[in-house]
Amino acid sequence: MNSEVRPLNSEIRPLNSEVRPLNSKLQPLNSKLQPLNSEVRPLNSEVRPLNSERGD
């Protein structure tokens, strides 16, 4: 099992180092988006029935 895992780990480590900085950029954006999402969700529930009346 270790012999299978080690090569995968060596592939994953460099990817992690690429992903970490991206994550740190995304986290502040996520925190801005979450309150917007909570505003948009109720609007979506109002719009869906209107769309279905139009036949979209």
Side-chain angles (χ1 to χ4, degrees):
M1 173 106 178
N2 274 345
S3 62
E4 295 172 29
V5 169
R6 279 195 191 99
L8 292 175
N9 275 343
S10 65
E11 289 178 41
I12 287 172
R13 279 193 192 99
L15 294 175
N16 275 342
S17 64
E18 289 178 39
V19 166
R20 278 193 195 99
L22 295 175
N23 275 342
S24 63
K25 287 182 187 177
L26 284 175
Q27 280 165 350
L29 294 175
N30 276 339
S31 62
K32 289 181 188 176
L33 282 175
Q34 280 164 351
L36 294 175
N37 276 340
S38 62
E39 289 178 37
V40 166
R41 280 192 192 100
L43 296 175
N44 276 341
S45 62
E46 290 177 36
V47 166
R48 279 191 194 100
L50 298 175
N51 278 341
S52 62
E53 286 173 22
R54 275 186 16 195
D56 285 354

